[in-house]
Amino acid sequence: MSLFRTKPLATLLKQLDEGGLKRTLGWPGLIALGIGAIIGAGLFARTPAAAAQNAGPGVTLSFIIAAIGCAFAGLCYAEFAAMIPIAGSAYTYAYVTMGELVAWVIGWALILEYGLGAATLSIYWTEYFNNLFPNLIPWQFRHSPLQSGPGGIHGVVNVPALIILAVMTLLLIKGISESATVNAIIVGIKVTIVLMIIAIGWHFINPANHTPFVLAQDSLHQGMFQHGWGGVLGGAGVVFFAFIGFDAVSTAAQETINPGKNMPIGILGSLAVCTFLYILFSWVLTGIAPVLDFIDPNKGMEASVSYAIHTYMPGYGWLSTLVSVAILAGFTSVMLVMLLGQSRVFFSMSKDGLLPKLFAEVHPKFRTPWKCNMVLYVFVALLGGFLPGDITGNMTNLGTLFAFVLVCIGVWIMRKKNPQQPRPFRVRAVPFVSIMGALFCLAMIISVDATSKIAAGSWMVIGLVVYFVYARHHSNLNRADIGALESKAGD
């Protein structure tokens, strides 16, 4: 029984109206869903971190590099999502093109993207919550056990992270249309705040903070991806976290009205809007404050955007407070989409027999995979409550980049295997787009720190063990193969 047995596309397309998921989303809701996922921790937390640790003011160039890679990958996602409008995203696409083992690997990698992504967002959400209410919760109950604070005290558990994740989980169980409405309101708020920061902050840019724009290789560190042009590439690997939301749009394909038309608009539209805002925002933020402030724990290491406004924009303290509120809302919407994406990937894997059936059980009233959401909450809450954000953030990037590489390759393979299959949205210049998307994403994988790569590699090894012990034997395709062999033997 081949490890690379593929799921027939005709069989997959028959599932379009199966599973009980309700079609409620049009292209405006999808674009809002994408922007809701994209504008969040990557912009407000990872931008200052990448500037301080990797790229300096050149983090703006890092965003451009990351955006180019995402544009190639986004085109490939759009073709797949329009052609195969099934919940599951990259996992589903791989199952059709590259086989079960590769699909499993992608599904397992997507846990790094969506599960760890949601955990990372909950951690950064806590930082800005603490900035607004510094004395509401004792220090040790809003930080990870791996973090130490004033007076040598250590964190115990990140309670705000546990609470906000629980609220988002309950909202998703209630229903995707309700979730999309809440998300659209939050998106409107945070986009308005981003535009205000760009418009007002532009007048406070200090040209000295942009000089030199690309720091010398040995300015602060000796690592290949820390400062210099290598640092710009390393920064792209860090701020890539800011772009991971657009592919989450594809996980809602089975809940989208007219997906052949609306999925490409949702994916590419949200990516275009956010890239434009990112470039302007990173230019303004690094112009307002010196990048070294963002690595100093006594200055702007936490809640960096609010710190920069409060310190370097006199008279705009009200904006600093407003930004903290908006960022909390922004992080909340991203968490919502990450949890949505993960539950829909689990839903698809369970429908294929690779995970236990409970992950595909739909609530009789709300018609959402509620048991999947509850199990996912336990997993993500453990990560968000007991790990710091720098560990979870880079591992999230690696899972996403790996999935992007395989999606880019998958479009090329599908063109060869099923050239006559109707494609409501067709990417031009394949295989060029596929090759360039894979190369850009591989370059960003290389730039991520070694510790995160080791941790992500260990996670993938665990995934392979689970596949060979459980998933391979419970797969629907495996049962079909066994049935075919028994039927042949009976003849």
Side-chain angles (χ1 to χ4, degrees), residues 394-406:
N394 284 343
M395 287 182 65
T396 301
N397 290 354
L398 287 169
T400 310
L401 286 164
F402 185 59
F404 281 15
V405 169
L406 294 180

Side-chain angles (χ1 to χ4, degrees), residues 54-390:
N54 300 91
V59 71
T60 300
L61 300 176
S62 299
F63 271 114
I64 294 174
I65 292 173
I68 292 172
C70 287
F72 287 125
L75 287 167
C76 295
Y77 263 97
E79 177 167 315
F80 265 138
M83 183 173 60
I84 312 174
I86 298 287
S89 185
Y91 157 78
T92 300
Y93 311 151
Y95 215 157
V96 175
T97 58
M98 289 173 278
E100 185 174 279
L101 179 60
V102 178
W104 170 267
V105 169
I106 284 190
W108 199 254
L110 288 176
I111 299 175
L112 289 179
E113 174 179 356
Y114 296 134
L116 273 171
T120 303
L121 265 297
S122 70
I123 295 166
Y124 289 134
W125 189 94
T126 299
E127 287 187 8
Y128 279 89
F129 180 85
N130 296 340
N131 184 62
L132 277 178
F133 308 103
N135 300 314
L136 182 62
I137 301 174
W139 193 95
Q140 59 267 39
F141 292 107
R142 44 191 171 94
H143 288 84
S144 157
L146 300 180
Q147 294 174 291
S148 57
I153 63 173
H154 287 272
V156 175
V157 61
N158 190 334
V159 174
L162 302 182
I163 295 173
I164 189 60
L165 286 169
V167 172
M168 293 298 100
T169 298
L170 292 173
L171 182 58
L172 282 174
I173 291 174
K174 179 66 170 64
I176 189 170
S177 60
E178 290 83 356
S179 303
T181 301
V182 172
N183 176 70
I185 295 171
I186 294 174
V187 166
I189 294 172
K190 66 181 179 180
V191 169
T192 299
I193 293 300
V194 170
L195 291 173
M196 289 178 63
I197 294 173
I198 293 171
I200 299 174
W202 199 276
H203 302 286
F204 290 89
I205 291 177
N206 181 356
N209 291 333
H210 282 153
T211 306
F213 191 63
V214 177
L215 301 181
Q217 180 67 45
D218 61 350
S219 293
L220 298 172
H221 301 282
Q222 297 298 323
M224 177 181 178
F225 298 109
Q226 293 177 306
H227 300 285
W229 284 103
V232 171
L233 178 58
V238 173
V239 300
F240 180 79
F241 188 93
F243 289 97
I244 65 174
F246 81 85
D247 65 306
V249 174
S250 66
T251 66
Q254 207 164 341
E255 293 154 282
T256 298
I257 302 167
N258 191 6
K261 172 187 175 182
N262 290 327
M263 289 305 301
I265 295 175
I267 292 171
L268 299 176
S270 58
L271 181 60
V273 170
C274 292
T275 298
F276 177 72
L277 293 176
Y278 281 4
I279 292 171
L280 292 178
F281 183 90
S282 59
W283 174 266
V284 170
L285 182 65
T286 55
I288 292 173
V291 293
L292 288 182
D293 281 13
F294 300 138
I295 203 172
D296 189 337
N298 297 314
K299 292 184 178 179
M301 187 173 180
E302 291 191 7
S304 304
V305 178
S306 293
Y307 162 83
I309 295 172
H310 186 269
T311 306
Y312 295 101
M313 294 174 58
Y316 286 91
W318 59 269
L319 182 58
S320 175
T321 302
L322 191 60
V323 163
S324 292
V325 174
I327 288 176
L328 285 176
F331 286 4
T332 300
S333 69
V334 180
M335 267 185 279
L336 185 70
V337 180
M338 294 297 101
L339 292 172
L340 168 69
Q342 183 65 79
S343 65
R344 273 37 176 189
V345 171
F346 277 179
F347 177 86
S348 293
M349 295 176 77
S350 178
K351 295 284 285 185
D352 291 328
L354 300 180
L355 288 176
K357 292 182 179 179
L358 72 89
F359 290 103
E361 291 186 22
V362 176
H363 193 282
K365 178 180 179 182
F366 302 131
R367 296 177 65 186
T368 57
W370 67 287
K371 289 184 178 180
C372 179
N373 285 121
M374 295 301 294
V375 174
L376 179 60
Y377 169 73
V378 174
F379 171 72
V380 175
L382 288 173
L383 297 172
F386 296 97
L387 289 178
D390 56 344

Side-chain angles (χ1 to χ4, degrees), residues 26-43:
W27 68 261
L30 290 172
I31 289 181
L33 198 66
I35 295 175
I38 298 172
I39 297 181
L43 185 64

